[in-house]
Amino acid sequence: MNTELNNKIESTLNSFNEMDRAEVQPFFQTRLMARLSKEYEINNNNWFTVKKPVWIIAALFVLLIANTIMLTQENKPANSINNKPESILQGFANEYNLSSTINY
Amino acid sequence: MLNDPAFIELLKQRNEQAFTQLVEAYQHLVYNTVLGIVQHNEEAEDISQEVFIQVYQSIYDFRGEAKLSTWIYRIAITKALDWERKKKSKKRIDTLKNMIGIRTQEEISITDFHHPGITLQNKESASVLFKALKQIPDNQRIAFVLIKTEGLSYQEVSDIMQTSIKSIEALMHRAKENLRKILQHYYSA
């Protein structure tokens, strides 16, 4: 390698030596605060954003309990007379003073 | 004062005045570091904003084991490198789109980067050096940028990069060797 090329390379490698620190454009802080408040506004308005996994687990647990209750209620034998369709319809007719008789 | 536990506590309480003070103190540090990595003024500002948003959101994770500035440097470096990776993958997709005939709206311009802090007499050679820096491995480049553009000591860089001073010395040595090879090729062509 010749000396001239060597010097050129070394001088290029040292070209950062006297550099000053680059500074942000004026009002950087104002732009940052505007962006920060905008991002927080978006996050706060998002109803579907679940912040902690514990809430997801709790919601799933509640759904599981509700489903279990529904299923056990469905499987119970309907032996009470009040559960018969005729009596339900009759009760409905009585409540609204419907005079017509229900025929099947 | 900025490393004072009481100040950190104020930040954790989302105190706006404390956050403003933090931004005021570290904005140039963050911007200059990011700019040295991404080499683009507007994008460096965008990433710097993201850095402070990340600081605001993750201040609870700051345990005070390192200095606040060290922690902020790490966030700035991570964000800048993430941005670069995203840009590279976008560039690959754009190249593919161009190959199959789909025109992309945004062309990535390959222009010379001129750092605002460089003296006029070093402007051209610094631009060549910035271009060469893009071709060396990330860890070598980060060490070089922090030492040369931020003026940090080997000790400070070793704290930021969470490695020994010996490793930083080795990284700098390899960075200079690689840069010499790239520059030799550049000037010989």
Side-chain angles (χ1 to χ4, degrees), chain A residues 25-44:
Chain A
Q25 294 291 308
F27 308 110
F28 171 81
Q29 189 140 5
T30 314
R31 290 190 295 278
L32 169 68
M33 295 313 266
R35 186 169 164 183
L36 192 65
S37 57
K38 197 177 169 188
E39 289 209 2
Y40 269 77
E41 200 177 294
I42 291 165
N43 282 339
N44 288 339

Side-chain angles (χ1 to χ4, degrees), chain B residues 102-155:
Chain B
I102 303 168
R103 275 174 176 247
T104 50
Q105 282 190 332
E106 202 182 319
E107 292 288 326
I108 297 166
S109 56
I110 304 158
T111 50
D112 290 345
F113 168 66
H114 297 291
H115 190 284
I118 297 280
T119 54
L120 198 62
Q121 63 180 50
N122 287 333
K123 200 177 164 187
E124 288 311 313
S125 52
S127 177
V128 173
L129 184 57
F130 269 116
K131 211 179 272 180
L133 269 172
K134 290 233 166 193
Q135 297 171 52
I136 65 172
D138 284 349
N139 53 359
Q140 294 174 22
R141 183 161 52 114
I142 299 305
F144 193 90
V145 164
L146 290 175
I147 289 166
K148 294 287 183 177
T149 72
E150 266 294 297
L152 297 182
S153 66
Y154 280 51
Q155 175 65 61

Side-chain angles (χ1 to χ4, degrees), chain B:
Chain B
M1 190 247 158
L2 294 171
N3 286 302
D4 190 355
F7 180 74
I8 308 292
E9 197 49 49
L10 281 175
L11 286 173
K12 287 183 180 179
Q13 287 166 11
R14 299 273 158 93
N15 181 299
E16 202 178 317
Q17 204 185 337
F19 185 68
T20 307
Q21 224 175 317
L22 174 111
V23 176
E24 191 65 45
Y26 293 123
Q27 55 185 353
H28 303 311
L29 171 158
V30 169
Y31 179 71
N32 192 49
T33 306
V34 172
L35 186 66
I37 298 168
V38 302
Q39 301 178 17
H40 193 288
N41 295 305
E42 286 78 26
E43 281 160 0
E45 159 138 357
D46 253 20
I47 299 162
S48 302
Q49 287 183 8
E50 280 177 27
V51 171
F52 284 110
I53 291 170
Q54 178 78 57
V55 168
Y56 186 77
Q57 288 168 340
S58 320
I59 192 69
Y60 293 104
D61 300 334
F62 179 69
R63 291 185 296 273
E65 289 161 358
K67 282 201 294 186
L68 190 58
S69 60
T70 305
W71 184 66
I72 293 174
Y73 267 122
R74 282 182 203 149
I75 296 174
I77 293 163
T78 311
K79 285 271 176 199
L81 290 176
D82 280 352
W83 176 89
E84 271 202 334
R85 278 181 210 116
K86 276 182 202 160
K87 194 169 180 176
K88 273 180 194 162
S89 68
K90 190 182 178 296
K91 200 176 172 183
R92 266 184 238 121
I93 293 166
D94 285 352
T95 313
L96 270 172
K97 279 181 178 175
N98 281 334
M99 279 167 74
I100 58 168
I102 303 168
R103 275 174 176 247
T104 50
Q105 282 190 332
E106 202 182 319
E107 292 288 326
I108 297 166
S109 56
I110 304 158
T111 50
D112 290 345
F113 168 66
H114 297 291
H115 190 284
I118 297 280
T119 54
L120 198 62
Q121 63 180 50
N122 287 333
K123 200 177 164 187
E124 288 311 313
S125 52
S127 177
V128 173
L129 184 57
F130 269 116
K131 211 179 272 180
L133 269 172
K134 290 233 166 193
Q135 297 171 52
I136 65 172
D138 284 349
N139 53 359
Q140 294 174 22
R141 183 161 52 114
I142 299 305
F144 193 90
V145 164
L146 290 175
I147 289 166
K148 294 287 183 177
T149 72
E150 266 294 297
L152 297 182
S153 66
Y154 280 51
Q155 175 65 61
E156 286 168 313
V157 177
S158 76
D159 289 342
I160 294 164
M161 295 180 78
Q162 292 169 297
T163 183
S164 65
I165 295 178
K166 286 261 175 222
S167 304
I168 301 299
E169 283 170 354
L171 278 176
M172 276 302 277
H173 179 74
R174 286 204 296 274
K176 283 178 184 170
E177 283 303 300
N178 284 332
L179 287 170
R180 271 193 193 99
K181 280 180 201 160
I182 295 163
L183 293 173
Q184 190 186 349
H185 186 261
Y186 177 83
Y187 286 125
S188 307

Side-chain angles (χ1 to χ4, degrees), chain A residues 34-71:
Chain A
R35 186 169 164 183
L36 192 65
S37 57
K38 197 177 169 188
E39 289 209 2
Y40 269 77
E41 200 177 294
I42 291 165
N43 282 339
N44 288 339
N45 288 340
N46 193 349
W47 285 82
F48 296 101
T49 307
V50 182
K51 301 224 159 75
K52 287 180 180 177
V54 70
W55 293 111
I56 302 172
I57 296 163
L60 283 172
F61 192 67
V62 168
L63 273 171
L64 189 74
I65 290 171
N67 275 317
T68 316
I69 292 166
M70 289 295 283
L71 280 169

